[in-house]
Amino acid sequence: MNATSGTTKCGVCGASRDVSLPDGLCARCIVAFALAPATESDEAFADARAAHAAASFAGRQVGRYHLIGEIDRGGVGVVYRAWQGDLKREVAVKMLLSAKLETRDTVTRFRREAELMANLDHPGILPVYEVGEQDGVPYFSMKLAEGGNLAQRVESLRGHFRECAQLVVQIARAIGHAHRHGVLHRDLKPSNIVFDANDWPLVTDFGLARLLAEDSTLTGSDALIGTPRYVAPEAIITPGTRLTAAADIYGLGAILYELLSGRAPFADLTPLQVLQQISTRRPRPPRQLAVDIPPALDAICLRCLEKRPQDRYASADALADALQPWLANARPSVFGGLKLGLPSRRRRAGALAAVLLVAGVALAGTWYALREPIPTPDPFTAAHTVAIIPTRLQKSTPAEREAARQLAARLEVPAGLNVLPFEETLTRVTSANFPNMSAMDIDATLGAFNYIEVKALEEDARFVVRVSAELREERLYEAEFTLADVDAVARKAGDALVRRRLEHPAAEERLPRSALALLMRAIRLLDDDPGVEGKNAAAIAALKDMITQVPDSALAHAWLAYAYSKHGGDGFWQDSAIDEAAHAQHLDPKLGAAVKTLGHAYLVKSWLSRSTKALEQAIEMGSLFVEDELSVRYLNAGRFDEAYRLCLERQRWDYPDTEALMAHLLFAVDENDAGERTMRTLMADETDQAVRTVQEAEIAMYRRDPARCRALAGSIKADTTDGFWTAYGLVRNCAIQQNDFAAALASLEPSKHFYATDRGNNNGNNPAIKEAVLLAQLQHNERVPALLAEARQGLQAAIDSNNEYPLVTLRMAAAQRLAGEIDAAYVTLERAFSLGLTFDNQNRWDIEFLPFAADARFAALRARSEADISAQREKIAALLPAAMRAPITAAERQSFASLGAATKPTDAKPDSL
């Protein structure tokens, strides 16, 4: 952003725009929408045409046709009912509306429309009979569509879903024919579908059509193609010559949407608002507008309206093929062959191989399709099968295996549930390959979706048991026990299984096997590494295929929401995640995974309070794997004691990253001895020497030894991180502690580079405010106003979008304070503290506090925050063993160091929270 010019990003295309322009659009998008793409390049030609133009030709003879009356008119042409005397028939004649206002390009486009339609011989496309010119005005004659157009029938078709689906099949077949002959329509909408005397639908109005293989500039490379409520998202910012058949698939989906719901997508908005919504938001599912809409039609419609062209059906014929099974009262089968019309990148490897040679497929989808197919158990059997395992598999202790064995021996379940023999299960889970398998691989190999896991606590004296439903990620029962309690625990575990699996049958047991295969594949892809876009996109593809089969599967929608939330950014993908999670929750109000994913999507949008509430609700519902995310939310909100309690819960199950979070929590509340012990335990297991150096530097920073921290962090690559701090962040923080503002300023360069390349994920973290503070400290005031203006614009945008990260609001307060707006700064600062800002051991030297350091008003806020942290520290201290709080000795440090030295340094990228 350039503060001096007053620019920001366009809400549609992302380009720079002047802040004074309306509706969040740049001048290009406004002009593209508001103006036709015509130019007066030849005034003499236009004047000659104008001399021959007339307001109406009704009652006149045009070629062989006597015009009887006007049928319809649009922005370019007028259509007349006419009598063709030589053939004794009524026809329709289309002429330019007003030659006086048209340019050479418009006349050429009109003639071209006639030629394209005349060359498309298909029963679903309005036939053209003749092309001619009358008094210099071009015209063409065509079949008379006596049944009106589809826009006039939308209301009468409401609720007649079979007729709606059949209509779209017929229209799609016609468009498929056009595409095979290289013609793209680009303006599909209900009013461009007309009916003959036999009520047969006919596609007409190819005025914006073009040849797919032609690099034509007739419509202008920057023109908005189509009608806003039916136009594909890519048509807004993509030159018309680069649009593909996917743009017409979107138009077909918009027609189906209106037939099902009675309204177009994004109805009741201004045209400019429509453009913004099309670019950034998914339309509401039709079933939210009318609950009686069949789920399969809802899913097919939404597939057509996907934002990314490659996520829609691969062709118009593919859309028609997807609708045919529903019309025949049969669900489409994802693996039923090519006729289903699913995108080729989502079929099995055998079908995909030939397609790859001809057309090429997106890398993510190729990877997805070519992976070895995961074994798929019978859904009903797996949903009623229980496996009892030690949690740590090959690393399990003899005591853990014995406890699990005794639970298996005493577990009593009714005939409806099947318990796998423990010794056989133990042999398989401790085999050489099992530790390398994903959770879905283990489920498939054992053929079980219910688990009783056992883990030892306190040197094998006590154990913790958890009964869970794997696919739903749901805790059915959890407790600590000793071997003396095993009978009671076995009984309660069995009761939990019976209660949830027999009294409330799980939805997964009713899934078709092919749908379960898609779900398990998607989960495995997401478990592999959800941050890898190729795998994430492949998981999304699999889940959409599953939803095509089973539209009302809450599990599918919940996992799709999770995949969307991991796809990056805080715009369309997170809005889609919220929509999918809410839909999953509507389908199955007891599915905690849906609420958990909703919380995650809220988090990515920086809606921290909503995220926290959703995650708390998910835990109450028994959802697994929530504690880690919720503990980070508590940390961000300054709720350190609650975060620590959740970490203790996680620690019982050896979840990754728990120790790291606990170390930083302890440091934050000045429990530095316990924090260092926890950190050094991590360092002993860390194989990357650079990451160990970051962790050593963090200990020095928390111990108020900035010189040592800077020396350590400055000795490694600036962007090295352990997931909490980067090396350059540590250097800057410690340089500020030493009042070395020049060094702190120099350390901002990596932050500036990161912000410039990844603005969408910074939570308003424009380093301009930090730079302004440091320049002010160095008395270099000439650049400060421009930096403040730039930072404030971005920060205000973040705050206006309901960003609830306390540091964002703090940065705004710092900018206001530097600008001399003291009262406003303290109102904003109070808001930051109310959001969870704390003057803890991590934040106390942070750069944004510098403008307030000398203010008495700030001292009062600081004292209040420190008192709150002190109270929380006491609660955490009560949970710590005395040995953890004792002063750490040099011998202990040496012992940890020797353990760390024994590990082999690697260049592996560290995991981050």
Side-chain angles (χ1 to χ4, degrees), residues 14 25 155 192 195 263-264 319 399-400 541 590 596 688 731 752 803 840 863 871 891:
L25 298 180
E155 189 59 35
N192 284 342
F195 295 87
R263 53 187 289 183
L319 166 59
E400 285 174 327
K590 295 183 178 181
K596 174 177 64 176
D688 191 317
V731 169
K752 293 162 70 173
N803 187 303
D840 59 68

Side-chain angles (χ1 to χ4, degrees), residues 286-414:
R287 278 173 59 82
Q288 290 186 12
L289 302 174
V291 295
D292 58 335
I293 294 172
L297 293 186
D298 184 89
I300 290 170
C301 178
L302 291 175
R303 169 75 74 85
C304 296
L305 298 176
E306 290 287 357
K307 299 299 178 193
R308 302 193 311 167
Q310 63 266 38
D311 285 341
R312 300 171 205 150
Y313 287 100
S315 68
D317 285 314
L319 166 59
D321 288 340
L323 285 165
Q324 287 291 172
W326 183 84
L327 284 167
N329 289 319
R331 285 177 171 168
S333 171
V334 172
F335 299 129
L338 301 185
K339 73 174 187 175
L340 282 178
L342 299 174
S344 58
R345 69 187 180 91
R346 295 173 187 174
R347 300 183 191 121
R348 286 191 184 272
L352 179 66
V355 181
L356 282 172
L357 295 174
V358 179
V361 182
L363 177 62
T366 304
W367 188 94
Y368 152 65
L370 293 178
R371 275 204 67 164
E372 283 296 318
I374 186 171
T376 307
D378 175 74
F380 186 87
T381 301
H384 289 78
T385 299
V386 184
I388 304 175
I389 59 173
T391 300
R392 292 182 286 192
L393 299 180
Q394 280 191 327
K395 295 182 180 180
S396 60
T397 66
E400 285 174 327
R401 292 194 292 273
E402 180 58 27
R405 184 179 291 108
Q406 291 196 31
L407 270 177
R410 290 165 170 78
L411 186 67
E412 294 183 6
V413 295

Side-chain angles (χ1 to χ4, degrees), residues 22 28 50 102 111 126 174 192 198 212 277 315 333 342 369 501 556 576 590 623 645 668 685 718 738 840 862 875 913:
R28 177 177 177 274
E102 301 306 325
R111 287 176 174 152
L126 192 70
N192 284 342
N198 297 317
L212 286 164
Q277 294 290 302
S315 68
S333 171
L342 299 174
R501 291 299 169 188
S576 300
K590 295 183 178 181
S623 189
R645 287 191 182 91
D685 292 332
Q738 295 176 306
D840 59 68
R862 171 177 173 172
K875 294 178 182 178
L913 288 179

Side-chain angles (χ1 to χ4, degrees), residues 442-456:
I442 296 173
D443 291 351
T445 302
L446 294 179
F449 289 156
N450 305 290
Y451 285 86
I452 298 178
E453 300 172 75
V454 179
K455 181 180 175 294

Side-chain angles (χ1 to χ4, degrees), residues 73-84:
R73 66 172 58 214
V76 174
V78 57
V79 181
Y80 296 97
R81 178 187 292 266
W83 176 256
Q84 185 179 356

Side-chain angles (χ1 to χ4, degrees), residues 661-736:
L661 182 57
M662 291 182 76
H664 288 276
L665 276 168
L666 291 167
F667 279 131
V669 296
D670 274 331
E671 282 289 349
N672 293 327
D673 291 302
E676 182 173 346
R677 285 188 174 90
T678 307
M679 182 71 82
R680 291 197 179 279
T681 301
L682 282 171
M683 292 169 63
D685 292 332
E686 178 57 61
T687 59
D688 191 317
Q689 179 60 53
V691 174
R692 286 204 300 272
T693 302
V694 168
Q695 293 167 332
E696 187 74 56
E698 288 172 354
I699 293 173
M701 179 190 70
Y702 290 126
R703 291 287 193 180
R704 316 285 205 283
D705 189 352
R708 174 171 167 75
C709 176
R710 284 181 66 180
L712 288 164
S715 68
I716 54 178
K717 287 181 61 176
D719 61 351
T720 305
T721 179
D722 70 337
F724 284 85
W725 285 90
T726 56
Y728 67 77
L730 290 167
V731 169
R732 181 174 64 251
N733 202 45
C734 292
I736 291 171

Side-chain angles (χ1 to χ4, degrees), residues 14-301:
S16 296
R17 72 174 186 90
D18 191 284
V19 295
S20 63
L21 293 175
D23 291 290
L25 298 180
C26 64
R28 177 177 177 274
C29 288
I30 293 174
V31 172
F33 170 72
L35 301 180
T39 58
E40 286 294 345
S41 58
D42 191 340
E43 292 184 8
F45 175 83
D47 291 340
R49 288 293 179 197
H52 294 285
S56 174
F57 280 75
R60 297 181 52 184
Q61 189 77 20
V62 174
R64 297 189 293 165
Y65 310 101
H66 179 76
L67 306 188
I68 299 172
E70 184 177 312
I71 298 175
D72 193 17
R73 66 172 58 214
V76 174
V78 57
V79 181
Y80 296 97
R81 178 187 292 266
W83 176 256
Q84 185 179 356
D86 54 347
L87 294 181
K88 306 292 191 229
R89 66 179 179 182
E90 280 193 311
V91 299
V93 174
K94 183 172 182 177
M95 306 182 71
L96 282 179
L97 181 63
S98 175
K100 180 178 181 180
L101 300 177
E102 301 306 325
T103 66
R104 186 187 300 274
D105 283 351
T106 306
V107 174
T108 304
R109 285 196 297 273
F110 184 86
R111 287 176 174 152
R112 182 181 181 150
E113 175 188 5
E115 293 168 1
L116 290 176
M117 291 179 67
N119 290 328
L120 293 175
D121 184 12
H122 188 275
I125 296 175
L126 192 70
V128 168
Y129 298 141
E130 181 184 18
V131 180
E133 188 172 295
Q134 176 78 25
D135 297 331
V137 179
Y139 70 87
F140 59 88
S141 64
M142 51 193 171
K143 182 177 182 178
L144 180 65
E146 300 181 70
N149 63 51
L150 183 56
Q152 299 164 336
R153 300 189 178 197
V154 168
E155 189 59 35
S156 64
L157 285 167
R158 282 285 305 280
H160 300 281
F161 302 119
R162 183 167 297 280
E163 289 85 345
C164 293
Q166 186 60 55
L167 264 175
V168 174
V169 167
Q170 292 169 310
I171 299 165
R173 296 294 185 201
I175 294 300
H177 173 83
H179 290 173
R180 287 191 296 277
H181 286 74
V183 177
L184 185 66
H185 190 285
R186 299 198 292 182
D187 195 21
L188 288 173
K189 55 186 177 182
S191 60
N192 284 342
I193 309 300
V194 297
F195 295 87
D196 64 12
N198 297 317
D199 278 343
W200 186 264
L202 301 163
V203 181
T204 186
D205 201 346
F206 282 73
L208 293 180
R210 73 166 182 86
L211 294 174
L212 286 164
E214 184 179 72
D215 187 17
S216 170
T217 58
L218 278 176
T219 43
S221 61
D222 291 324
L224 174 66
I225 301 300
T227 305
R229 286 187 175 84
Y230 306 93
V231 73
E234 65 269 22
I236 299 173
I237 58 174
T238 301
T241 56
R242 294 210 300 268
L243 292 177
T244 67
D248 280 351
I249 306 303
Y250 187 96
L252 290 167
I255 291 173
L256 178 57
Y257 188 102
E258 187 162 354
L259 290 173
L260 295 175
S261 67
R263 53 187 289 183
F266 309 109
D268 303 326
L269 299 176
T270 68
L272 289 178
Q273 289 172 331
V274 170
L275 290 183
Q276 290 177 305
Q277 294 290 302
I278 287 174
S279 298
T280 60
R281 296 294 298 263
R282 303 178 86 205
R284 292 178 62 190
R287 278 173 59 82
Q288 290 186 12
L289 302 174
V291 295
D292 58 335
I293 294 172
L297 293 186
D298 184 89
I300 290 170
C301 178

